[in-house]
Amino acid sequence: MGKRKVPSGEDNPNHDFCDFLTELADYEKNVSRNVHKYNAYRKAASVLASHPTRITSGREAKKLSGIGEKISKKIDEFLETGKLQKLENIHGDAKNTAINLLTRISGVGPAKAQALVSEGITTLEELHKHKDKLNHHQMIGLKYFEDFEMRIPREEISQIETLLRKHLQQLDPQIRLTICGSYRRGREESGDIDALVSHPNYTSGRSKKPDILKNVVASLKSCGLITETISLGDTKFMGACRLDGDSVTRRLDIRLTPFDQYYCAVLYFTGSDMFNKEMRAHALEMGFTLNEYSLRPVGSTGVPGEPVEIHSEREIFECIGYPYKSPEERSM
Ligand code: 8DG
Ligand code: CA
Ligand code: CA
């Protein structure tokens, strides 16, 4: 799972609220491991991030969906004192700080971070001395800690996309490629690169998985674009790439998706995950279940039926009566 962040640029009039809510969310995820509170804080941050005007009281905030009594009180406290006691306490606790640091390493989740801290490993320097405690993914995460934390400029992903297209075209002109994630939503910077590939010869009905992804990865390795492999299966590659002459190594994921599931996958991996949640909930209200694979009607018994045949991303919106949103409008 990616390290989730709510965007909160300086152009957002409520960015200071979003920042503290995101910090509280991270605390709930990494330290308390309370997924409900984590979701509540993220939802509130996301609502405030898209609110056009400055919120001036907890009471005003509470009128927004996703902001209840507790969060509105925190907004009041922040407005009155310029800080939050809860966050001050969290910052003052060395164990929390260490857990938060370690979970920033790609591949290190809250449980692993807590295990490391309880063994006395609280800094990256310490961790470098105890690499035996890390699996392959975590080792690469540590090796590229600084690189993976740097956002990727849109222009660089665009260059990588051009290269990917060129090599895929050489490999097999029928391969489809879409770079999804925040890049497809038009963001100026992204945390990683989410590539989706498909091929007409590979559909969900066929039991045998083709070697498409392995061939793709082999070709991108031999041309020097892919520099690290975290994991490689039949349908999912996780690793890293680097442009020639560029010193920063970037996280790259490539997923191979059956041709008949391509649009559901494109929709899902474009996100944002908040947008996906909303759209899935809407689908359910309309009697459909929507995921990264398919859109299926749900019968009165609650059992999903056969997947609806989909020929474009827009069709998914139409099927469930959800007003179409371009990728740029999905960054909630
Ligand atoms: P970023 O990389 O610029 O930080 O943003 P992103 O591209 O939106 O996030 P991501 O973590 O790379 O995830 C890509 C898409 O995958 C996301 O926009 C929607 C979908 N997705 C979910 N839930 C989850 C999840 O729990 N983990 C991950 N990694 N992706 C998810 O809907
Ligand atoms: Ca991404
Ligand atoms: Ca990703």
Side-chain angles (χ1 to χ4, degrees):
M1 195 169 99
K3 312 281 174 188
R4 333 237 89 240
K5 281 186 197 102
V6 168
S8 67
E10 296 289 323
D11 52 338
N12 160 13
N14 297 299
H15 76 90
D16 49 352
F17 302 140
C18 294
D19 288 348
F20 82 65
L21 289 168
T22 303
E23 260 201 78
L24 288 169
D26 285 346
Y27 171 79
E28 295 300 339
K29 181 180 70 177
N30 298 332
V31 184
S32 318
R33 288 199 259 163
N34 183 329
V35 67
H36 295 293
K37 288 191 179 179
Y38 164 68
N39 281 326
Y41 283 129
R42 285 219 331 126
K43 165 89 198 195
S46 150
V47 165
L48 286 176
S50 54
H51 192 71
T53 57
R54 173 74 178 168
I55 293 286
T56 55
S57 72
R59 235 184 65 181
E60 185 190 353
K62 218 178 139 187
K63 293 188 191 132
L64 305 173
S65 81
I67 299 189
E69 182 67 26
K70 283 194 190 125
I71 289 178
S72 83
K73 280 217 173 96
K74 289 200 166 57
I75 287 177
D76 276 331
E77 183 190 339
F78 188 80
L79 283 169
E80 283 158 23
T81 67
K83 59 188 178 71
L84 276 191
Q85 200 50 49
K86 188 180 163 91
L87 267 187
E88 299 293 307
N89 297 345
I90 291 170
H91 290 160
D93 183 321
K95 189 170 160 239
N96 296 336
T97 312
I99 291 170
N100 267 325
L101 169 72
L102 296 177
T103 53
R104 281 160 54 193
I105 302 166
S106 181
V108 174
K112 179 68 188 181
Q114 298 200 7
L116 289 169
V117 170
S118 66
E119 290 177 89
I121 299 171
T122 60
T123 64
L124 298 184
E125 293 69 44
E126 281 292 313
L127 195 51
H128 273 285
K129 288 183 225 152
H130 293 93
K131 289 204 190 74
D132 54 301
K133 297 192 189 295
L134 300 179
N135 65 28
H136 179 61
H137 184 174
Q138 295 158 347
M139 216 109 78
I140 290 184
L142 180 62
K143 181 174 173 189
Y144 296 105
F145 182 81
E146 285 82 16
D147 278 12
F148 289 172
E149 288 228 314
M150 293 171 78
R151 309 284 295 169
I152 316 171
R154 184 168 189 81
E155 173 54 30
E156 186 178 332
I157 302 189
S158 159
Q159 285 177 38
I160 292 169
E161 181 179 19
T162 305
L163 271 178
L164 286 173
R165 274 194 204 290
K166 190 183 104 191
H167 288 285
L168 295 185
Q169 174 73 22
Q170 279 167 8
L171 199 64
D172 184 335
Q174 283 191 290
I175 294 182
R176 289 248 190 121
L177 166 74
T178 306
I179 311 272
C180 298
S182 49
Y183 175 74
R184 186 158 182 262
R185 300 199 308 274
R187 309 301 299 215
E188 277 310 314
E189 291 180 332
S190 296
D192 64 359
I193 304 165
D194 303 294
L196 206 66
V197 298
S198 191
H199 192 288
N201 288 352
Y202 171 49
T203 58
S204 60
R206 304 194 176 188
S207 52
K208 191 189 170 302
K209 300 250 197 300
D211 298 324
I212 299 170
L213 185 60
K214 296 213 160 100
N215 293 338
V216 163
V217 170
S219 133
L220 297 173
K221 260 171 133 170
S222 69
C223 76
L225 185 63
I226 286 182
T227 53
E228 296 280 1
T229 298
I230 292 171
S231 61
L232 174 59
D234 288 331
T235 60
K236 188 175 176 195
F237 163 82
M238 288 174 73
C241 67
R242 195 173 55 224
L243 277 179
D244 219 13
D246 203 306
S247 56
V248 185
T249 297
R250 309 298 195 178
R251 275 281 291 112
L252 168 69
D253 287 342
I254 309 176
R255 286 180 188 77
L256 172 68
T257 183
F259 208 61
D260 51 308
Q261 299 179 345
Y262 193 53
Y263 296 107
C264 283
V266 166
L267 175 69
Y268 178 85
F269 289 110
T270 297
S272 68
D273 65 333
M274 283 285 169
F275 172 79
N276 287 351
K277 269 197 189 123
E278 287 239 350
M279 190 158 168
R280 247 187 335 258
H282 182 89
L284 268 183
E285 276 171 32
M286 303 299 282
F288 289 90
T289 166
L290 174 65
N291 58 26
E292 61 185 282
Y293 311 108
S294 63
L295 175 70
R296 290 175 298 165
V298 186
S300 51
T301 54
V303 182
E306 285 299 304
V308 181
E309 231 183 86
I310 305 281
H311 309 90
S312 70
E313 206 181 24
R314 189 182 283 269
E315 243 181 60
I316 305 168
F317 288 80
E318 285 165 359
C319 278
I320 62 167
Y322 195 75
Y324 180 75
K325 282 195 162 65
S326 69
E328 291 80 7
E329 297 170 302
R330 300 179 203 161
S331 271
M332 53 183 302

